[in-house]
Amino acid sequence: MTDIDVPHGLSTSEADLYRHLMTHVEFESSMADKYELLTESQSEYVAFLAALIAEDERRHHHLYDQWAESLRGIAELRATGL
């Protein structure tokens, strides 16, 4: 895992959540890559299920990225005094 650069201005709980979101996506990215590889399986059943899981993981990671970006926006607003 890499060090997470937490935006300045988040509360302690917001910073903890931000770290969790970022490390979660980082940790699961390697598994998502493996699901992507399985979509090319010779077994159409494995390929189908892997494609469903890979799509769900992409959507899941996108939501986590949006959530983290929202926290970053909160920190930036606080930094400007808004």
Coordinates of all heavy atoms in Angstrom, one line a residue:
M1 N 0.8 -1.2 0.0 CA 0.0 0.0 0.0 C 0.9 1.2 0.0 O 1.9 1.3 0.6 CB -0.9 0.0 1.2 CG -1.9 -1.1 1.4 SD -3.4 -0.8 0.5 CE -4.0 -2.4 0.4
T2 N 0.4 2.2 -0.7 CA 1.1 3.5 -0.7 C 0.5 4.4 0.4 O -0.5 4.2 0.9 CB 1.0 4.2 -2.1 OG1 -0.4 4.4 -2.3 CG2 1.5 3.3 -3.2
D3 N 1.3 5.5 0.7 CA 0.8 6.5 1.6 C -0.3 7.3 0.9 O -0.2 7.6 -0.3 CB 2.0 7.4 2.0 CG 3.0 6.7 2.9 OD1 2.6 5.8 3.7 OD2 4.2 7.1 2.9
I4 N -1.3 7.5 1.7 CA -2.5 8.3 1.1 C -2.3 9.7 1.5 O -2.1 10.1 2.7 CB -3.8 7.7 1.7 CG1 -3.9 6.2 1.4 CG2 -5.0 8.5 1.2 CD1 -4.0 5.9 -0.1
D5 N -2.3 10.6 0.5 CA -2.2 12.0 0.7 C -3.6 12.5 1.0 O -4.4 12.8 0.1 CB -1.7 12.7 -0.5 CG -1.4 14.2 -0.3 OD1 -1.2 14.6 0.9 OD2 -1.4 14.9 -1.3
V6 N -3.9 12.7 2.3 CA -5.3 13.1 2.8 C -5.4 14.6 2.6 O -4.5 15.4 3.0 CB -5.5 12.7 4.2 CG1 -6.8 13.2 4.7 CG2 -5.4 11.2 4.4
P7 N -6.5 15.1 2.0 CA -6.6 16.5 1.8 C -6.7 17.3 3.1 O -7.3 16.8 4.1 CB -8.0 16.7 1.1 CG -8.2 15.3 0.4 CD -7.5 14.4 1.3
H8 N -6.0 18.4 3.2 CA -6.0 19.2 4.4 C -7.4 19.8 4.6 O -8.0 20.3 3.7 CB -4.9 20.3 4.3 CG -4.9 21.2 5.5 ND1 -4.4 20.7 6.7 CD2 -5.2 22.5 5.7 CE1 -4.4 21.7 7.6 NE2 -5.0 22.8 7.0
G9 N -7.8 19.8 5.9 CA -9.1 20.4 6.2 C -10.2 19.4 6.5 O -11.3 19.8 6.9
L10 N -9.9 18.1 6.4 CA -10.9 17.1 6.7 C -10.9 16.8 8.2 O -9.8 16.9 8.8 CB -10.7 15.8 6.0 CG -10.9 15.8 4.5 CD1 -10.5 14.4 3.9 CD2 -12.3 16.2 4.1
S11 N -12.1 16.5 8.8 CA -12.1 16.1 10.2 C -11.4 14.8 10.3 O -11.1 14.1 9.3 CB -13.5 16.0 10.7 OG -14.2 14.9 10.1
T12 N -11.2 14.4 11.5 CA -10.5 13.1 11.8 C -11.3 11.9 11.1 O -10.8 11.1 10.5 CB -10.3 12.8 13.3 OG1 -9.6 13.9 13.8 CG2 -9.6 11.5 13.5
S13 N -12.6 11.9 11.4 CA -13.4 10.9 10.8 C -13.5 10.9 9.3 O -13.5 9.9 8.6 CB -14.8 10.9 11.4 OG -15.5 12.1 11.2
E14 N -13.6 12.1 8.7 CA -13.6 12.3 7.3 C -12.2 11.8 6.7 O -12.2 11.1 5.7 CB -13.8 13.7 6.9 CG -15.2 14.2 7.2 CD -15.4 15.7 7.1 OE1 -14.3 16.4 7.2 OE2 -16.5 16.2 6.9
A15 N -11.1 12.1 7.4 CA -9.8 11.7 6.9 C -9.7 10.2 7.0 O -9.2 9.5 6.0 CB -8.7 12.3 7.7
D16 N -10.2 9.6 8.0 CA -10.2 8.1 8.1 C -11.0 7.5 7.0 O -10.6 6.5 6.4 CB -10.8 7.7 9.5 CG -9.9 7.9 10.7 OD1 -8.7 8.2 10.4 OD2 -10.4 7.9 11.8
L17 N -12.2 8.0 6.7 CA -13.0 7.5 5.6 C -12.3 7.7 4.3 O -12.3 6.8 3.5 CB -14.4 8.3 5.6 CG -15.3 7.9 4.5 CD1 -15.7 6.4 4.5 CD2 -16.6 8.8 4.6
Y18 N -11.7 8.8 4.1 CA -10.9 9.1 2.8 C -9.9 8.0 2.7 O -9.7 7.4 1.6 CB -10.3 10.5 2.9 CG -9.7 10.8 1.6 CD1 -10.4 11.4 0.5 CD2 -8.3 10.7 1.4 CE1 -9.8 11.7 -0.7 CE2 -7.7 11.0 0.2 CZ -8.4 11.5 -0.8 OH -7.8 11.8 -2.0
R19 N -9.1 7.8 3.7 CA -8.0 6.7 3.7 C -8.6 5.4 3.4 O -8.1 4.6 2.5 CB -7.3 6.7 5.0 CG -6.2 7.7 5.1 CD -5.3 7.4 6.4 NE -4.9 8.7 6.9 CZ -5.5 9.5 7.8 NH1 -6.6 9.1 8.3 NH2 -5.0 10.6 8.2
H20 N -9.7 5.1 4.0 CA -10.4 3.8 3.8 C -10.8 3.6 2.3 O -10.5 2.6 1.7 CB -11.6 3.6 4.7 CG -12.4 2.4 4.3 ND1 -12.0 1.1 4.6 CD2 -13.6 2.3 3.7 CE1 -13.0 0.3 4.1 NE2 -13.9 1.0 3.6
L21 N -11.4 4.6 1.8 CA -11.9 4.6 0.4 C -10.7 4.4 -0.6 O -10.8 3.5 -1.5 CB -12.6 5.9 0.0 CG -13.9 6.1 0.8 CD1 -14.4 7.6 0.5 CD2 -15.0 5.1 0.4
M22 N -9.7 5.1 -0.4 CA -8.5 5.1 -1.3 C -7.8 3.7 -1.2 O -7.4 3.1 -2.2 CB -7.6 6.2 -1.1 CG -8.2 7.6 -1.3 SD -9.1 7.8 -2.9 CE -7.7 7.9 -3.9
T23 N -7.6 3.2 0.0 CA -6.9 2.0 0.2 C -7.7 0.8 -0.3 O -7.2 -0.2 -0.8 CB -6.4 1.7 1.7 OG1 -7.5 1.8 2.5 CG2 -5.4 2.8 2.1
H24 N -9.0 0.9 -0.1 CA -9.9 -0.1 -0.5 C -9.8 -0.3 -2.1 O -9.7 -1.4 -2.5 CB -11.4 0.2 -0.1 CG -12.4 -0.8 -0.6 ND1 -12.6 -2.0 0.1 CD2 -13.2 -0.8 -1.7 CE1 -13.6 -2.7 -0.5 NE2 -13.9 -2.0 -1.6
V25 N -9.9 0.8 -2.8 CA -9.8 0.7 -4.2 C -8.5 0.2 -4.7 O -8.4 -0.7 -5.5 CB -10.1 2.1 -4.9 CG1 -9.8 2.1 -6.4 CG2 -11.6 2.4 -4.7
E26 N -7.4 0.7 -4.0 CA -6.1 0.2 -4.3 C -5.9 -1.3 -4.1 O -5.4 -2.0 -4.9 CB -5.0 1.0 -3.5 CG -3.6 0.6 -3.8 CD -2.6 1.4 -2.9 OE1 -3.0 2.5 -2.4 OE2 -1.5 0.9 -2.8
F27 N -6.4 -1.7 -3.0 CA -6.3 -3.2 -2.6 C -7.1 -4.0 -3.6 O -6.6 -5.1 -4.0 CB -6.8 -3.4 -1.2 CG -6.8 -4.8 -0.7 CD1 -5.6 -5.4 -0.4 CD2 -8.0 -5.5 -0.6 CE1 -5.6 -6.7 0.0 CE2 -7.9 -6.8 -0.2 CZ -6.7 -7.5 0.1
E28 N -8.3 -3.6 -4.0 CA -9.1 -4.5 -4.8 C -8.8 -4.4 -6.3 O -9.3 -5.2 -7.1 CB -10.6 -4.1 -4.6 CG -11.1 -4.7 -3.3 CD -12.7 -4.7 -3.3 OE1 -13.3 -4.1 -4.1 OE2 -13.2 -5.3 -2.3
S29 N -8.0 -3.4 -6.7 CA -7.7 -3.2 -8.1 C -7.0 -4.5 -8.7 O -7.3 -4.9 -9.8 CB -6.8 -2.0 -8.3 OG -7.6 -0.9 -8.1
S30 N -6.2 -5.1 -7.9 CA -5.5 -6.3 -8.5 C -6.5 -7.4 -8.7 O -6.4 -8.2 -9.7 CB -4.4 -6.8 -7.5 OG -4.9 -7.2 -6.3
M31 N -7.5 -7.5 -7.8 CA -8.5 -8.6 -8.0 C -9.4 -8.2 -9.2 O -9.8 -9.1 -10.0 CB -9.4 -8.7 -6.8 CG -8.8 -9.4 -5.6 SD -8.2 -11.1 -6.0 CE -9.7 -11.9 -6.5
A32 N -9.7 -7.0 -9.4 CA -10.5 -6.5 -10.6 C -9.8 -6.9 -11.8 O -10.4 -7.3 -12.8 CB -10.8 -5.1 -10.5
D33 N -8.5 -6.7 -11.9 CA -7.7 -7.1 -13.0 C -7.8 -8.6 -13.3 O -7.9 -9.0 -14.5 CB -6.2 -6.7 -12.8 CG -6.0 -5.2 -12.8 OD1 -6.9 -4.4 -13.2 OD2 -4.9 -4.8 -12.3
K34 N -7.8 -9.4 -12.3 CA -7.9 -10.8 -12.5 C -9.3 -11.2 -13.0 O -9.4 -12.1 -13.9 CB -7.7 -11.6 -11.2 CG -6.2 -11.4 -10.7 CD -5.9 -12.1 -9.4 CE -4.5 -11.8 -9.0 NZ -4.1 -12.3 -7.7
Y35 N -10.3 -10.5 -12.6 CA -11.7 -10.8 -13.1 C -11.7 -10.4 -14.6 O -12.3 -11.1 -15.4 CB -12.8 -10.0 -12.4 CG -13.0 -10.5 -11.0 CD1 -13.0 -9.6 -9.9 CD2 -13.3 -11.8 -10.7 CE1 -13.3 -10.0 -8.6 CE2 -13.6 -12.2 -9.4 CZ -13.5 -11.3 -8.4 OH -13.8 -11.7 -7.1
E36 N -11.0 -9.3 -15.0 CA -11.0 -8.9 -16.4 C -10.3 -10.0 -17.2 O -10.7 -10.3 -18.3 CB -10.2 -7.6 -16.5 CG -10.9 -6.4 -16.0 CD -12.1 -6.0 -16.9 OE1 -12.2 -6.4 -18.0 OE2 -13.0 -5.2 -16.3
L37 N -9.2 -10.6 -16.7 CA -8.5 -11.7 -17.4 C -9.5 -12.9 -17.6 O -9.4 -13.5 -18.7 CB -7.3 -12.1 -16.7 CG -6.1 -11.1 -16.7 CD1 -5.0 -11.6 -15.8 CD2 -5.6 -10.9 -18.2
L38 N -10.3 -13.1 -16.6 CA -11.2 -14.3 -16.7 C -12.3 -14.1 -17.7 O -12.9 -15.1 -18.1 CB -11.8 -14.6 -15.3 CG -10.9 -15.3 -14.3 CD1 -11.5 -15.4 -13.0 CD2 -10.5 -16.7 -14.8
T39 N -12.5 -12.9 -18.1 CA -13.6 -12.6 -19.1 C -13.2 -13.2 -20.4 O -14.1 -13.4 -21.3 CB -13.9 -11.1 -19.3 OG1 -12.8 -10.5 -19.8 CG2 -14.3 -10.5 -18.0
E40 N -11.9 -13.6 -20.6 CA -11.5 -14.2 -21.9 C -11.3 -15.7 -21.7 O -10.7 -16.3 -22.5 CB -10.2 -13.5 -22.3 CG -10.4 -12.1 -22.6 CD -9.1 -11.4 -23.0 OE1 -8.1 -12.0 -23.4 OE2 -9.1 -10.1 -22.8
S41 N -11.9 -16.3 -20.7 CA -11.8 -17.7 -20.4 C -12.4 -18.5 -21.6 O -13.4 -18.0 -22.3 CB -12.6 -18.0 -19.1 OG -12.7 -19.4 -19.0
Q42 N -11.9 -19.7 -21.8 CA -12.5 -20.6 -22.8 C -13.9 -21.1 -22.4 O -14.7 -21.4 -23.3 CB -11.6 -21.8 -23.0 CG -10.2 -21.4 -23.6 CD -10.3 -20.9 -24.9 OE1 -11.1 -21.3 -25.8 NE2 -9.5 -19.8 -25.2
S43 N -14.2 -21.1 -21.1 CA -15.5 -21.4 -20.7 C -16.4 -20.2 -20.8 O -16.2 -19.2 -20.1 CB -15.4 -21.9 -19.2 OG -16.7 -22.0 -18.7
E44 N -17.5 -20.4 -21.5 CA -18.4 -19.2 -21.7 C -19.1 -18.9 -20.4 O -19.4 -17.7 -20.1 CB -19.4 -19.5 -22.8 CG -20.3 -20.6 -22.5 CD -21.3 -21.0 -23.6 OE1 -20.8 -21.6 -24.6 OE2 -22.4 -20.6 -23.6
Y45 N -19.2 -19.9 -19.5 CA -19.9 -19.6 -18.2 C -18.9 -18.8 -17.3 O -19.4 -17.8 -16.6 CB -20.2 -20.9 -17.5 CG -21.1 -21.8 -18.4 CD1 -20.7 -23.0 -18.9 CD2 -22.5 -21.4 -18.6 CE1 -21.5 -23.7 -19.8 CE2 -23.3 -22.2 -19.4 CZ -22.8 -23.3 -20.0 OH -23.6 -24.1 -20.8
V46 N -17.7 -19.2 -17.2 CA -16.7 -18.5 -16.4 C -16.6 -17.0 -17.0 O -16.5 -16.1 -16.2 CB -15.3 -19.2 -16.4 CG1 -14.3 -18.3 -15.8 CG2 -15.5 -20.5 -15.7
A47 N -16.5 -16.9 -18.3 CA -16.3 -15.6 -18.9 C -17.5 -14.7 -18.6 O -17.3 -13.5 -18.3 CB -16.1 -15.7 -20.5
F48 N -18.7 -15.3 -18.7 CA -19.9 -14.5 -18.4 C -19.9 -14.0 -17.0 O -20.2 -12.8 -16.7 CB -21.2 -15.4 -18.7 CG -22.4 -14.7 -18.3 CD1 -23.0 -13.7 -19.0 CD2 -23.1 -15.1 -17.1 CE1 -24.2 -13.1 -18.6 CE2 -24.3 -14.6 -16.8 CZ -24.8 -13.5 -17.5
L49 N -19.7 -14.9 -16.0 CA -19.7 -14.6 -14.6 C -18.6 -13.6 -14.3 O -18.8 -12.6 -13.5 CB -19.6 -15.8 -13.7 CG -20.8 -16.7 -13.7 CD1 -20.6 -18.0 -12.9 CD2 -22.0 -16.0 -13.2
A50 N -17.4 -13.8 -14.8 CA -16.3 -12.9 -14.6 C -16.6 -11.5 -15.2 O -16.3 -10.5 -14.5 CB -15.0 -13.4 -15.3
A51 N -17.3 -11.4 -16.3 CA -17.7 -10.1 -16.9 C -18.7 -9.4 -16.0 O -18.6 -8.2 -15.8 CB -18.3 -10.3 -18.3
L52 N -19.6 -10.1 -15.4 CA -20.6 -9.5 -14.4 C -19.8 -9.0 -13.2 O -20.1 -7.8 -12.8 CB -21.6 -10.5 -14.0 CG -22.6 -10.9 -15.0 CD1 -23.6 -12.0 -14.5 CD2 -23.5 -9.8 -15.5
I53 N -18.9 -9.8 -12.7 CA -18.2 -9.3 -11.5 C -17.3 -8.2 -11.8 O -17.2 -7.2 -11.1 CB -17.4 -10.5 -10.9 CG1 -18.3 -11.6 -10.4 CG2 -16.4 -10.0 -9.8 CD1 -17.6 -12.9 -10.0
A54 N -16.6 -8.2 -13.0 CA -15.7 -7.1 -13.4 C -16.5 -5.8 -13.5 O -16.0 -4.7 -13.1 CB -15.0 -7.5 -14.6
E55 N -17.7 -5.9 -14.1 CA -18.5 -4.7 -14.3 C -18.9 -4.1 -13.0 O -18.9 -2.9 -12.7 CB -19.7 -5.1 -15.2 CG -20.7 -3.9 -15.3 CD -22.0 -4.3 -16.1 OE1 -22.1 -5.5 -16.5 OE2 -22.8 -3.4 -16.2
D56 N -19.3 -5.0 -12.1 CA -19.7 -4.6 -10.7 C -18.6 -3.9 -10.0 O -18.7 -2.9 -9.3 CB -20.3 -5.8 -9.9 CG -20.9 -5.3 -8.6 OD1 -21.8 -4.5 -8.6 OD2 -20.4 -5.8 -7.6
E57 N -17.4 -4.5 -10.1 CA -16.2 -3.9 -9.5 C -15.9 -2.5 -10.0 O -15.5 -1.6 -9.3 CB -15.0 -4.9 -9.6 CG -15.0 -6.0 -8.7 CD -15.0 -5.6 -7.2 OE1 -14.2 -4.8 -6.8 OE2 -15.8 -6.2 -6.5
R58 N -16.0 -2.4 -11.3 CA -15.7 -1.1 -12.0 C -16.7 0.0 -11.4 O -16.3 1.1 -11.1 CB -15.8 -1.1 -13.5 CG -14.6 -1.7 -14.2 CD -14.7 -1.6 -15.7 NE -15.8 -2.2 -16.3 CZ -15.9 -3.4 -16.7 NH1 -14.9 -4.2 -16.6 NH2 -17.0 -3.9 -17.3
R59 N -18.0 -0.4 -11.3 CA -19.0 0.5 -10.8 C -18.7 0.8 -9.4 O -18.8 2.0 -8.9 CB -20.4 -0.2 -11.0 CG -21.6 0.7 -10.7 CD -22.9 0.1 -11.1 NE -23.1 -1.3 -10.8 CZ -23.0 -2.3 -11.7 NH1 -22.9 -2.0 -13.0 NH2 -23.2 -3.5 -11.4
H60 N -18.4 -0.2 -8.6 CA -18.1 -0.1 -7.2 C -16.9 0.9 -7.0 O -17.0 1.8 -6.1 CB -17.8 -1.5 -6.6 CG -17.3 -1.5 -5.2 ND1 -18.1 -1.5 -4.2 CD2 -16.1 -1.7 -4.8 CE1 -17.4 -1.6 -3.1 NE2 -16.2 -1.8 -3.4
H61 N -15.9 0.7 -7.7 CA -14.7 1.6 -7.6 C -15.0 3.0 -8.0 O -14.5 4.0 -7.5 CB -13.5 1.0 -8.4 CG -12.9 -0.2 -7.8 ND1 -12.0 -1.0 -8.4 CD2 -13.2 -0.8 -6.6 CE1 -11.7 -2.0 -7.6 NE2 -12.4 -1.9 -6.5
H62 N -15.8 3.1 -9.1 CA -16.2 4.5 -9.5 C -17.0 5.2 -8.4 O -16.7 6.4 -8.2 CB -17.1 4.4 -10.8 CG -17.5 5.7 -11.3 ND1 -16.7 6.6 -11.9 CD2 -18.8 6.3 -11.3 CE1 -17.4 7.7 -12.2 NE2 -18.6 7.5 -11.9
L63 N -17.9 4.5 -7.7 CA -18.6 5.1 -6.6 C -17.6 5.5 -5.5 O -17.8 6.6 -4.9 CB -19.7 4.2 -6.0 CG -20.9 3.9 -6.9 CD1 -21.7 2.8 -6.4 CD2 -21.7 5.2 -7.1
Y64 N -16.7 4.7 -5.2 CA -15.7 5.0 -4.1 C -14.9 6.2 -4.5 O -14.6 7.1 -3.7 CB -14.8 3.8 -3.8 CG -15.3 2.9 -2.8 CD1 -16.6 2.5 -2.7 CD2 -14.5 2.5 -1.8 CE1 -17.1 1.7 -1.7 CE2 -15.0 1.6 -0.7 CZ -16.3 1.3 -0.8 OH -16.8 0.4 0.2
D65 N -14.5 6.3 -5.8 CA -13.7 7.5 -6.3 C -14.6 8.7 -6.2 O -14.0 9.8 -5.8 CB -13.3 7.2 -7.8 CG -12.2 6.2 -7.9 OD1 -11.4 6.0 -7.0 OD2 -12.0 5.7 -9.0
Q66 N -15.8 8.7 -6.5 CA -16.7 9.8 -6.4 C -16.9 10.3 -5.0 O -16.9 11.4 -4.7 CB -18.1 9.5 -7.0 CG -18.1 9.5 -8.5 CD -19.5 9.1 -9.0 OE1 -20.2 8.3 -8.5 NE2 -19.9 9.9 -10.0
W67 N -17.0 9.3 -4.1 CA -17.1 9.6 -2.7 C -15.8 10.3 -2.1 O -15.9 11.3 -1.4 CB -17.3 8.3 -1.9 CG -17.9 8.4 -0.5 CD1 -18.1 9.5 0.2 CD2 -18.2 7.3 0.3 NE1 -18.6 9.2 1.4 CE2 -18.7 7.8 1.5 CE3 -18.2 5.9 0.2 CZ2 -19.1 7.0 2.6 CZ3 -18.7 5.1 1.2 CH2 -19.1 5.7 2.4
A68 N -14.7 9.8 -2.5 CA -13.4 10.4 -2.1 C -13.3 11.8 -2.7 O -12.8 12.7 -2.0 CB -12.2 9.5 -2.5
E69 N -13.7 11.9 -3.9 CA -13.7 13.3 -4.6 C -14.6 14.3 -3.9 O -14.2 15.4 -3.7 CB -14.0 13.2 -6.1 CG -13.8 14.4 -6.8 CD -12.4 14.9 -6.8 OE1 -11.5 14.1 -6.8 OE2 -12.2 16.1 -6.8
S70 N -15.7 13.8 -3.4 CA -16.6 14.7 -2.6 C -15.9 15.1 -1.3 O -16.0 16.3 -0.9 CB -17.9 13.9 -2.3 OG -18.6 13.7 -3.4
L71 N -15.2 14.2 -0.6 CA -14.5 14.6 0.6 C -13.4 15.6 0.3 O -13.2 16.5 1.0 CB -13.9 13.3 1.2 CG -14.9 12.4 1.9 CD1 -14.3 11.1 2.3 CD2 -15.5 13.1 3.1
R72 N -12.7 15.4 -0.9 CA -11.7 16.3 -1.3 C -12.3 17.7 -1.5 O -11.8 18.7 -1.1 CB -11.0 15.9 -2.5 CG -9.8 16.7 -2.9 CD -9.1 16.2 -4.2 NE -8.4 15.0 -3.9 CZ -8.8 13.8 -4.4 NH1 -9.8 13.7 -5.2 NH2 -8.1 12.7 -4.1
G73 N -13.5 17.7 -2.1 CA -14.2 19.0 -2.4 C -14.6 19.7 -1.1 O -14.5 20.9 -0.9
I74 N -15.0 18.9 -0.1 CA -15.4 19.5 1.2 C -14.1 20.1 1.9 O -14.2 21.2 2.4 CB -15.9 18.4 2.2 CG1 -17.3 17.9 1.7 CG2 -15.9 18.8 3.6 CD1 -17.8 16.7 2.4
A75 N -13.0 19.5 1.8 CA -11.7 20.0 2.3 C -11.3 21.3 1.6 O -10.9 22.3 2.3 CB -10.6 19.0 2.2
E76 N -11.5 21.3 0.3 CA -11.1 22.5 -0.4 C -12.0 23.7 -0.1 O -11.6 24.8 0.0 CB -11.1 22.2 -1.9 CG -10.0 21.3 -2.4 CD -10.1 20.9 -3.8 OE1 -11.1 21.2 -4.5 OE2 -9.2 20.1 -4.2
L77 N -13.3 23.4 0.1 CA -14.2 24.5 0.5 C -13.9 25.0 1.9 O -13.9 26.3 2.1 CB -15.7 24.0 0.5 CG -16.3 23.8 -0.9 CD1 -17.7 23.2 -0.8 CD2 -16.4 25.1 -1.7
R78 N -13.5 24.2 2.8 CA -13.1 24.6 4.1 C -11.9 25.4 4.0 O -11.7 26.4 4.7 CB -13.0 23.4 5.0 CG -14.3 22.8 5.4 CD -14.0 21.6 6.4 NE -15.3 21.0 6.7 CZ -15.4 19.7 7.0 NH1 -14.3 19.0 7.2 NH2 -16.6 19.2 7.3
A79 N -10.9 25.0 3.2 CA -9.7 25.7 3.1 C -9.8 27.2 2.5 O -9.1 28.0 2.9 CB -8.7 24.9 2.2
T80 N -10.9 27.4 1.7 CA -11.1 28.7 1.2 C -12.0 29.5 2.1 O -12.3 30.7 1.8 CB -11.7 28.6 -0.2 OG1 -13.0 27.9 -0.2 CG2 -10.8 27.9 -1.2
G81 N -12.5 28.9 3.1 CA -13.4 29.6 4.1 C -14.8 29.6 3.7 O -15.6 30.4 4.3
L82 N -15.3 28.8 2.7 CA -16.7 28.8 2.3 C -17.5 27.9 3.2 O -17.1 27.0 3.8 CB -16.8 28.4 0.9 CG -16.1 29.3 -0.1 CD1 -16.2 28.7 -1.5 CD2 -16.8 30.7 -0.1

